[in-house]
Amino acid sequence: GENVEQHPSTLSVQEGDSAVIKCTYSDSASNYFPWYKQELGKRPQLIIDIRSNVGEKKDQRIAVTLNKTAKHFSLHITETQPEDSAVYFCAASGRDDKIIFGKGTRLHILP
Amino acid sequence: KAGVTQTPRYLIKTRGQQVTLSCSPISGHRSVSWYQQTPGQGLQFLFEYFSETQRNKGNFPGRFSGRQFSNSRSEMNVSTLELGDSALYLCASSLTGTPTYGYTFGSGTRLTVV
């Protein structure tokens, strides 16, 4: 079945700097890659997603890139702000439509 | 419109007992998936129901089971509770059986087994 690896598990960046979270997936049939943000004590919320027929997608300060050949996808957050502090989960969905999540990255934005 | 509703929010049970958790998806959503969230393990997939049928199942023991009703509400049952079952249980609903529109998660049920 699908396996999703996510790195790093913890990331600290200065406010205003960029943050990058990387994921790899195992099932070459995976075709949908969402990213979720979970603030402390709250539910995970979808922040951006990308499909396998697209290499990059941007939404304001957030961008996701996908390399199908290498089975890598990454989340990029530019000009980080205190409210970006949260746990971020990458995920992949493939032939059986179930979404498999990585173990999460705890992002700390330092003042 | 109402979001995904999970009840109860908190639960304390004793080892060996059983527990039932409930999830009401967004109106019109037919797919409900369940996840177990623990520190360090992220979100682990339990199972997914679509139109009252279990479509997918994760790698959890048979003590974990679920069902979905005709109104798309879903229940998850855990029998013979173990200390390691303590976790936040999240359900997520989606419009169709294909998750390419993303999931909407509920707030979760925090289960503590003592």
Side-chain angles (χ1 to χ4, degrees):
Chain A
E2 176 67 277
N3 183 49
V4 178
E5 300 283 338
Q6 182 171 349
H7 300 281
S9 57
T10 304
L11 178 61
S12 296
V13 301
Q14 290 294 140
E15 183 179 346
D17 288 349
S18 296
V20 180
I21 301 170
K22 298 182 179 181
C23 291
T24 61
Y25 60 98
S26 60
D27 187 352
S28 56
S30 291
N31 55 17
Y32 175 65
F33 306 91
W35 286 85
Y36 287 79
K37 174 184 180 182
Q38 186 177 30
E39 297 178 60
L40 191 62
K42 296 189 177 180
R43 71 191 74 188
Q45 291 194 302
L46 178 69
I47 55 172
I48 195 168
D49 56 15
I50 191 168
R51 290 165 176 74
S52 58
N53 59 347
V54 176
E56 184 176 4
K57 184 177 178 180
K58 289 183 179 180
D59 182 5
Q60 300 182 4
R61 297 185 297 108
I62 293 174
V64 58
T65 59
L66 171 65
N67 182 329
K68 286 178 56 181
T69 302
K71 290 189 278 188
H72 289 173
F73 58 115
S74 300
L75 178 71
H76 304 253
I77 305 174
T78 59
E79 300 174 7
T80 52
Q81 300 171 3
E83 55 265 35
D84 296 329
S85 293
V87 178
Y88 291 81
F89 293 97
C90 64
S93 176
R95 70 187 85 214
D96 55 8
D97 285 342
K98 65 184 179 184
I99 295 184
I100 301 300
F101 287 82
K103 293 188 177 180
T105 295
R106 185 172 296 279
L107 176 62
H108 299 277
I109 306 301
L110 306 172
Chain B
K1 57 180 177 182
V4 180
T5 303
Q6 289 189 248
T7 57
R9 290 295 307 276
Y10 302 92
L11 209 48
I12 300 175
K13 289 287 188 177
T14 305
R15 268 183 306 174
Q17 286 186 314
Q18 74 156 13
V19 67
T20 299
L21 313 182
S22 177
C23 173
S24 293
I26 290 172
S27 178
H29 283 197
R30 295 166 63 190
S31 172
V32 174
S33 296
W34 288 89
Y35 289 84
Q36 181 193 65
Q37 185 174 22
T38 53
Q41 291 300 313
L43 295 158
Q44 293 185 284
F45 176 77
L46 282 154
F47 30 66
E48 184 228 351
Y49 286 87
F50 179 74
S51 293
E52 301 179 64
T53 301
Q54 185 181 88
R55 287 206 317 157
N56 285 303
K57 190 176 189 303
N59 298 320
F60 278 79
R63 300 185 297 106
F64 291 81
S65 63
R67 59 178 175 169
Q68 187 179 34
F69 301 95
S70 58
N71 62 358
S72 293
R73 189 178 72 86
S74 177
E75 288 183 345
M76 189 190 93
N77 184 276
V78 187
S79 62
T80 320
L81 284 165
E82 300 177 0
L83 295 179
D85 297 333
S86 295
L88 179 67
Y89 290 89
L90 291 161
C91 75
S93 77
S94 66
L95 183 62
T96 70
T98 304
T100 53
Y101 297 97
Y103 282 165
T104 301
F105 280 92
S107 295
T109 293
R110 184 163 296 281
L111 172 65
T112 302
V113 182
V114 298

